[in-house]
Amino acid sequence: MTESKLTYEKTRVIVAGVSHLQPDFEYTMQELAALVEANNMEVADTIIQNVNSVSGKTYFGSGKVTEIKEIANADDVQIIVLNDELTPSQIRNLEKETKLIFMDRTELILQVFSNRAQTKQAKLQVEIAKMQYQLPRIHPSGNPLDQQSSSGGLANRGAGESKLELDRRVIRKRITALRNELKTVDQTIDVQSRRRTNTSLPLVSLVGYTNAGKSTTMNGILNFNKDDSQDRKVFERDMLFATLDTSVRRIDLEDNSSFLLTDTVGFVSKLPHNLVESFKTTLQEAQNADLLIQVIDVADEHWQNMIEVTEKTLKEVGVVDKPMIYAFNKADLKPGQQFPVIEGDNIYYSAIDKESIEKLVDLIKIKVFNHYKQAELLIPYSDQKVAEEILKNSQVIKKEFTNDGSLISANLSPEELERFNKYIQTEVSD
């Protein structure tokens, strides 16, 4: 008797788009195909219309709509994934004319995010964005393909509109409930964030395009932690939006310097506005960061587009005027690129190369500790809580116990120098 195996075929779809004078159109179409794969679907065909503007009625011109219907029928495909966000009427008109299902780029991204969300906060954020997207797109009929087929006259039309308004009220109430629930979760996370912010440890935040290698970079830096432990590693995988959750780890280096490192959600072009709004709290760590490390896939020919999208999205969530390291990852995959190489605020490296990560850590230390100064402090035994705080959070060089108290030599930040000024025994040196 042979062992039977269950196999699951991916849903086959057609990806389609209108160029309408987009300078990076070809790239966004490639990215759309990658998003389709990330959503566990398979690209059966690609259809492009090179025109200067989209149709307000059906996005594509009438001839192209007919072509899409014919190709879909020939390929036995029911779903068309589009490269832009369409209006509700455009979707309805396309579905009415072709009897196919159309999914725009925004809905696709929302589906990917929904499948990837793990924490309660991320799930709530995505659910709110999905509801906001669905609100203007509700049809009187539950089936978008038969909504136009009713021949019941005005009476049925009125009943449909009444149900439509009822459905909208239900969704609005659901959005309000989700926002209230998210507010409670956010408050808990905000307290944790403030606790981290209130420590004297510098906060370093990894930002950048999805699948650029942020999580791999974080795990590489964790390997330099004095107390390295595998269970502190973050999830990494070669796919778009492998993780949506912000991870925070404390890095304690061999020279006793310490900082907090965060890995944030990745970005993608045409990221839905509602999704960006929902993830503002998740990106709070980047807003509070002392240093940003923008991880860039330098082996991708569109890396400049990725930088533009990342910085545009950061600006949208209020992350501006932050010191930044431009970390050009995957240099090992770019022919002729030397690595690890540091050029000012830029580093060319490979996140899977130990020497590269060591160079990146050195650059981080230069950036976050450049204003630190060495001081010797004598802390009376009556103020041992202060000594414990310094030993826990500061870059301690040496400590000893004397008759008068704890004598600690440490590199201190300007804030620490001011806060612990009364305990300083020796003149602060550079």
Side-chain angles (χ1 to χ4, degrees):
M1 184 175 179
T2 59
E3 183 182 354
S4 62
K5 294 184 179 179
L6 291 174
T7 58
Y8 299 92
E9 291 186 4
K10 291 183 178 181
T11 301
R12 298 171 72 246
V13 304
I14 291 173
V15 294
V18 177
S19 59
H20 61 95
L21 300 178
Q22 294 182 85
D24 56 349
F25 173 70
E26 183 181 340
Y27 167 58
T28 61
M29 286 295 294
Q30 292 172 6
E31 192 174 77
L32 183 68
L35 287 165
V36 163
E37 294 291 335
N39 201 41
N40 201 35
M41 300 188 297
E42 179 183 345
V43 177
D45 210 336
T46 301
I47 299 174
I48 291 172
Q49 185 169 36
N50 291 309
V51 292
N52 294 342
S53 62
V54 301
S55 165
K57 181 182 178 182
T58 54
Y59 182 64
F60 298 101
S62 58
K64 186 63 69 171
V65 173
T66 301
E67 179 186 337
I68 289 171
K69 182 178 179 179
E70 292 173 350
I71 292 175
N73 290 335
D75 288 344
D76 193 23
V77 169
Q78 294 295 310
I79 301 175
I80 315 297
V81 182
L82 305 175
N83 194 35
D84 290 292
E85 179 174 328
L86 271 64
T87 65
S89 63
Q90 285 174 322
I91 292 285
R92 286 195 295 270
N93 291 333
L94 282 168
E95 291 180 341
K96 180 182 177 182
E97 291 190 23
T98 64
K99 300 299 185 288
L100 299 169
I101 299 171
F102 285 80
M103 176 190 298
D104 66 15
R105 187 185 182 99
T106 296
E107 184 179 1
L108 175 63
I109 292 174
L110 289 171
Q111 283 194 11
V112 174
F113 268 57
S114 183
N115 293 335
R116 298 284 190 268
Q118 297 293 323
T119 66
K120 186 173 183 180
Q121 184 192 32
K123 289 177 180 178
L124 288 170
Q125 289 166 329
V126 175
E127 187 65 19
I128 289 171
K130 283 174 64 178
M131 290 285 181
Q132 290 174 321
Y133 172 80
Q134 291 169 1
L135 188 57
R137 291 170 171 80
I138 303 174
H139 307 303
S141 164
N143 184 349
L145 298 185
D146 66 15
Q147 65 189 12
Q148 305 287 351
S149 61
S150 172
S151 58
L154 293 176
N156 281 347
R157 178 185 173 195
E161 287 181 343
S162 297
K163 184 180 184 304
L164 183 64
E165 187 53 41
L166 177 63
D167 289 343
R168 284 176 176 163
R169 283 202 298 270
V170 170
I171 286 189
R172 289 190 188 102
K173 285 183 179 179
R174 177 64 177 155
I175 290 173
T176 300
L178 287 169
R179 281 176 172 164
N180 289 336
E181 191 175 356
L182 180 61
K183 192 179 296 182
T184 302
V185 175
D186 284 348
Q187 285 172 348
T188 302
I189 293 174
D190 188 48
V191 168
Q192 297 169 346
S193 180
R194 284 203 303 271
R195 284 175 183 163
R196 289 193 290 270
T197 304
N198 288 337
T199 72
S200 57
L201 294 179
L203 178 61
V204 179
S205 186
L206 294 162
V207 298
Y209 220 73
T210 181
N211 209 31
K214 297 186 301 299
S215 297
T216 307
T217 298
M218 186 170 196
N219 286 335
I221 294 174
L222 280 167
N223 286 331
F224 282 82
N225 205 20
K226 285 193 299 184
D227 185 27
D228 180 37
S229 173
Q230 289 300 318
D231 61 4
R232 299 180 74 241
K233 297 295 177 68
V234 298
F235 178 73
E236 58 179 86
R237 189 172 170 185
D238 184 18
M239 65 179 179
L240 302 187
F241 303 112
T243 178
L244 303 181
D245 304 309
T246 298
S247 303
V248 184
R249 300 291 186 269
R250 173 171 171 151
I251 309 296
D252 295 308
L253 302 174
E254 291 294 341
D255 64 358
N256 294 322
S257 59
S258 302
F259 58 90
L260 296 175
L261 182 66
T262 71
D263 175 23
T264 59
V265 61
F267 305 134
V268 70
S269 62
K270 302 182 183 180
L271 198 61
H273 176 72
N274 288 334
L275 203 56
V276 173
E277 283 295 310
S278 296
F279 272 79
K280 270 188 175 180
T281 306
T282 302
L283 293 164
Q284 186 71 37
E285 301 294 350
Q287 291 176 319
N288 295 331
D290 298 289
L291 174 68
L292 299 180
I293 301 176
Q294 183 176 167
V295 181
I296 303 147
D297 180 358
V298 73
D300 192 304
E301 60 180 315
H302 304 287
W303 60 266
Q304 290 175 311
N305 296 88
M306 296 177 177
I307 293 176
E308 291 174 7
V309 170
T310 297
E311 297 189 345
K312 178 185 175 184
T313 310
L314 287 172
K315 188 175 180 180
E316 282 185 47
V317 298
V319 182
V320 293
D321 299 326
K322 293 283 184 181
M324 183 180 292
I325 291 173
Y326 290 87
F328 293 93
N329 186 27
K330 305 184 185 181
D332 54 319
L333 302 179
K334 185 174 183 179
Q337 177 64 60
Q338 297 295 314
F339 73 96
V341 175
I342 295 175
E343 298 176 356
D345 293 335
N346 301 341
I347 178 170
Y348 296 85
Y349 77 113
S350 168
I352 59 175
D353 173 56
K354 183 178 179 180
E355 185 182 354
S356 289
I357 295 297
E358 186 174 12
K359 290 282 188 182
L360 178 58
V361 169
D362 289 341
L363 187 55
I364 292 171
K365 286 161 60 177
I366 291 171
K367 292 294 181 181
V368 297
F369 299 121
N370 60 341
H371 297 304
Y372 280 50
K373 294 185 178 180
Q374 185 175 329
E376 192 172 67
L377 306 93
L378 181 62
I379 302 169
Y381 292 118
S382 58
D383 290 344
Q384 279 309 288
K385 284 188 177 180
V386 175
E388 290 171 6
E389 181 182 345
I390 293 174
L391 291 173
K392 180 180 179 181
N393 294 326
S394 300
Q395 187 177 345
V396 177
I397 300 170
K398 183 175 65 174
K399 64 178 179 180
E400 60 181 284
F401 300 106
T402 70
N403 293 333
D404 299 319
S406 301
L407 189 63
I408 300 174
S409 179
N411 288 323
L412 303 179
S413 67
E415 294 77 14
E416 288 175 306
L417 288 169
E418 184 176 351
R419 183 178 177 188
F420 304 126
N421 181 61
K422 68 178 182 178
Y423 303 110
I424 295 177
Q425 295 296 295
T426 61
E427 183 176 344
V428 178
S429 61
D430 291 332

